[in-house]
Amino acid sequence: MKMKTSDGDIVSEYRCDSVIGCAVVSIRKGLVVIDNAQNGFCLYRLDEPLRGPIRSFLTNPPKVRVPKQVAFGKATRIVVGGSDNGSVYIFERKTGRVLETLRHASDGLVQTVSVSATMICYKDSNLETRIPGPGPRYTVCYRKCLVCTR
């Protein structure tokens, strides 16, 4: 959906062919990556969404169709996405090639990912870590990856 910044009126709409999950936008590069909930993630240009995806980032077909988060890293040079098979996928944005697969578990959801200059952080449903003090239990794993430090 494209909206006017002045008043929020809808200028145009684009409907995807499938159910979608999470998305990440780079205004600077004019790009958006969307979890297509079928076989990975799709890259679109913000100014030409009707052309369809300009690149696909393929993962193993999901067993469970749940939203998986996606993030840009290294100034949008990499795309990082979760899975339902215990892996975090790291792709090269320009080619779609898998640069690295972080295997956290043999199975299970990795739905939340976050990227910084040197780390990829992800949340999964397999490892329980108790945060001191009152409050909920969090499932958090941190892993340094080779791609981030190159």
Side-chain angles (χ1 to χ4, degrees):
M1 184 177 301
K2 187 174 184 179
M3 299 168 42
K4 292 181 187 174
T5 56
S6 58
D7 57 12
D9 282 350
I10 297 172
V11 176
S12 62
E13 263 183 82
Y14 173 73
R15 297 194 184 274
C16 295
D17 295 333
S18 66
V19 174
I20 63 170
C22 297
V24 61
V25 175
S26 170
I27 296 296
R28 190 167 76 55
K29 294 277 188 180
L31 300 170
V32 60
V33 177
I34 299 172
D35 167 21
N36 69 23
Q38 290 183 354
N39 63 354
F41 306 92
C42 294
L43 177 70
Y44 293 86
R45 290 195 185 285
L46 289 173
D47 59 351
E48 299 176 329
L50 297 178
R51 285 186 65 197
I54 57 174
R55 185 152 301 100
S56 294
F57 307 100
L58 301 178
T59 63
N60 291 333
K63 299 173 198 163
V64 182
R65 296 199 190 278
V66 295
K68 293 167 294 299
Q69 196 166 14
V70 61
F72 283 119
K74 294 191 72 146
T76 68
R77 290 193 306 267
I78 63 171
V79 173
V80 180
S83 73
D84 70 345
N85 63 25
S87 297
V88 176
Y89 292 93
I90 306 167
F91 301 94
E92 184 176 44
R93 178 185 53 87
K94 287 187 176 181
T95 66
R97 180 174 65 96
V98 176
L99 295 173
E100 194 169 349
T101 302
L102 304 178
R103 286 295 291 170
H104 175 68
S106 61
D107 203 15
L109 297 174
V110 180
Q111 290 180 271
T112 305
V113 296
S114 180
V115 180
S116 74
T118 60
M119 297 284 276
I120 291 181
C121 305
Y122 51 91
K123 179 178 176 183
D124 77 9
S125 59
N126 294 318
L127 179 66
E128 297 267 336
T129 303
R130 183 67 152 148
I131 305 301
R137 300 191 99 182
Y138 293 94
T139 307
V140 183
C141 296
Y142 298 95
R143 175 137 179 208
K144 194 169 193 172
C145 74
L146 299 174
V147 173
C148 293
T149 56
R150 286 182 194 146

